[in-house]
Amino acid sequence: FYAIRRELHQHDLPAGLSRDFAAALVTHERGYRAVSVNEAVCFVPRVPSLHSEYRRKVRTITRGMQTLHFKRHLLDPRRHGLFAWMLCSHKVARWFAPWAAVLGLVGLVALAFASPLGQLGLAGALLVFALAFIGWRWPEGKRPPRLFSMPAFLVAGNVAVLHATINAMRGQMNAVWEPTRREGSAGTPAVAGR
């Protein structure tokens, strides 16, 4: 949910890239700054389907990665100083975290052969995956209990980053935007972009 000066919004951007993410990047390029306003509150109803949320995440993260690649000169700290650090820590590091988790899981499997602590860690990870799987397979239209929905949301969000990274590296464009149908606060249909 953002507002931007018209002259900053009207810039050339290849089709399929994320115009809202690019807005903050263009703002910096033109000598302005993006500001978060804590007093501005926006309520967005939950997406009724974890599968829809997963597809939305894959699409928006893929577009975000491709947009950052298009504006990759902003990652140069010699030219963009603290902004490059903020961009790298906020976006790039977050996109690397699921890959680090995959390596951590491989390490847990290896450690489980040599250590009871490794076996305990692996058992905990498998329990989270089992709960996530139940949450993922929960019937459409019925909200699963938090015991299943929280692990499912956590795992799906991280797998979405892995999926998006592969899409971005393949150059797959996700230019199609379609609204997410959500129930409004008074039970009336509301439409929000995804």
Side-chain angles (χ1 to χ4, degrees), residues 14-55:
L17 298 187
S18 175
R19 186 162 287 280
D20 56 345
F21 176 37
L25 305 180
V26 170
T27 298
H28 174 77
E29 285 177 322
R30 301 223 183 136
Y32 291 88
R33 62 189 178 105
V35 179
S36 294
V37 180
N38 293 333
E39 295 79 27
V41 178
C42 177
F43 293 98
V44 180
R46 259 176 71 176
V47 175
S49 163
L50 182 60
H51 297 204
S52 296
E53 178 66 9
Y54 176 81
R55 288 189 300 272

Side-chain angles (χ1 to χ4, degrees), residues 47-62 136 140 152-167 174 180 182 194:
V47 175
S49 163
L50 182 60
H51 297 204
S52 296
E53 178 66 9
Y54 176 81
R55 288 189 300 272
R56 183 197 68 80
K57 278 185 178 295
V58 170
R59 184 174 58 253
T60 57
I61 295 168
T62 301
W136 179 260
E140 288 285 325
F153 188 81
L154 174 73
V155 171
N158 282 287
V159 172
V161 174
L162 302 175
H163 188 168
T165 305
I166 293 166
N167 286 352
N174 290 291
T180 303
R182 302 173 187 199
R194 44 180 189 151

